[in-house]
Amino acid sequence: MKVTITHIDTACVLININGFKILTDPTLDPKDRFFPQYVSRPLAFSKKYIDPALTIEEIGKVDLVLLSHDHHSDNLDKNGRAFIKTVLTVISTKDAVRRLKNDNTVGLDNWQEHYIETEKVKHLKITAIPAQHTNIKRLDKVMGKVVGFTIEWEGQKNGCIYISGDTVLFEGVYELAKNKKVDIAILHLGAGAFPYLKKNLRVTMNGEEAIETAKLLNPNIVIPIHYEGWWHFKQSAKSLKNEIEKSDLNRKFVWLESGIETKLAE
């Protein structure tokens, strides 16, 4: 089964499994714009510094969108909202279904499974994996519901593909390690933070948590995404890479070149 991945923007990647195309967290707007980062409270703002590596035309038709959450602009922006209306199926949270009001959107609770019928991939299954969008647990509901995903299909030899969504390392990731074998872990990093809202608040993993998650899940491949291009990413790409390169698990990490298709399996 041929599997490839192409990084497009922030947490937006195109995963191609035997011709079945999955797009994650569509952020397709241009750089140099300010965005309200939260639709609901707390209100915060960020600025985007990098253009998407591919145009909407270059992305072309996709079969499925996996949307970790809809209420933050670095995971779903204006062009992304228009794009998902053209896709047959979008899988996200139940809160996203309520807000988006798109007939094509399926909302899943934690650990709920959704099967997709396609001749390209036999018994394709998406599972919603718990995510916690803050390192301060009591603020989890305030920050809004987020999910990660696993992608599985019949004949998968080395384990599933895991997409973390915007999360920190918390008990849900430990639960994943107990329940599933992970072959490829795609991690949202960047140490996203809004210190003027709450001191020490962080909404995504930093390098240290990425390394700990790699130790915990023991995947064959770790792919960092969501770590550059926005003002609120507080750990620089240089710092992140230096930290990971010093770790014993450096060999597992694959750094994607945006816009370039990278083969993960044959």
Side-chain angles (χ1 to χ4, degrees):
M1 185 75 69
K2 184 178 180 181
V3 181
T4 67
I5 187 170
T6 307
H7 181 258
I8 297 170
D9 186 278
T10 317
C12 182
V13 297
L14 182 65
I15 301 170
N16 190 323
I17 306 169
N18 202 36
F20 188 89
K21 296 169 70 176
I22 302 172
L23 192 72
T24 68
D25 287 2
T27 47
L28 304 173
D29 285 356
K31 66 179 180 179
D32 293 331
R33 292 177 60 187
F34 282 97
F35 294 85
Q37 187 60 13
Y38 292 83
V39 173
S40 56
R41 292 181 299 169
L43 184 62
F45 294 85
S46 188
K47 185 177 182 180
K48 186 178 183 181
Y49 294 113
I50 296 176
D51 283 323
L54 298 179
T55 65
I56 292 173
E57 291 73 24
E58 288 171 330
I59 294 170
K61 184 180 182 299
V62 303
D63 300 288
L64 173 67
V65 167
L66 298 180
L67 176 62
S68 66
H69 58 303
D70 67 304
H71 53 286
H72 298 165
S73 299
D74 62 327
N75 297 86
L76 184 68
D77 56 22
K78 183 177 179 181
N79 285 341
R81 288 173 183 273
F83 183 85
I84 64 174
K85 292 179 181 179
T86 70
V87 180
L88 182 63
T89 305
V90 177
I91 300 178
S92 190
T93 66
K94 291 188 174 179
D95 286 347
V97 172
R98 175 176 52 82
R99 286 188 290 256
L100 292 171
K101 298 180 172 63
N102 294 340
D103 292 339
N104 63 346
T105 306
V106 177
L108 300 182
D109 291 321
N110 289 345
W111 298 109
Q112 189 173 354
E113 300 172 348
H114 183 84
Y115 285 88
I116 298 191
E117 295 300 324
T118 170
E119 294 180 355
K120 297 174 182 176
V121 185
K122 194 171 183 180
H123 294 159
L124 179 62
K125 181 177 72 174
I126 308 299
T127 304
I129 305 301
Q132 183 177 296
H133 202 3
T134 171
N135 60 324
I136 303 174
K137 189 172 182 179
R138 68 179 182 274
L139 297 180
D140 190 33
K141 289 185 178 180
V142 177
M143 303 306 291
K145 177 64 179 173
V146 179
V147 292
F149 302 98
T150 56
I151 306 172
E152 298 169 271
W153 60 86
E154 187 175 299
Q156 227 170 6
K157 296 180 180 179
N158 300 314
C160 65
I161 298 174
Y162 166 55
I163 305 168
S164 72
D166 282 13
T167 189
V168 296
L169 178 58
F170 78 116
E171 56 264 25
V173 184
Y174 286 85
E175 193 176 356
L176 170 65
K178 293 178 181 178
N179 289 341
K180 292 183 183 290
K181 180 182 178 182
V182 176
D183 178 28
I184 299 167
I186 302 171
L187 303 182
H188 294 205
L189 306 180
F194 297 92
Y196 58 87
L197 293 178
K198 181 73 175 178
K199 187 178 180 181
N200 299 324
L201 171 68
R202 184 164 45 77
V203 297
T204 54
M205 293 184 192
N206 55 22
E208 180 181 358
E209 286 189 325
I211 294 166
E212 288 303 310
T213 299
K215 290 179 180 177
L216 175 65
L217 299 178
N218 193 29
N220 293 305
I221 297 172
V222 183
I223 299 177
I225 60 173
H226 190 280
Y227 61 85
E228 60 182 346
W230 289 79
W231 170 82
H232 66 286
F233 293 171
K234 297 307 181 185
Q235 183 172 26
S236 69
K238 182 178 180 180
S239 169
L240 175 66
K241 290 179 180 179
N242 285 342
E243 186 173 6
I244 288 172
E245 285 171 0
K246 292 176 183 177
S247 78
D248 294 337
L249 299 181
N250 176 47
R251 60 182 177 78
K252 290 181 178 282
F253 283 77
V254 174
W255 301 90
L256 301 178
E257 183 179 351
S258 294
I260 304 300
E261 187 175 27
T262 299
K263 184 171 68 174
L264 299 178
E266 189 65 65

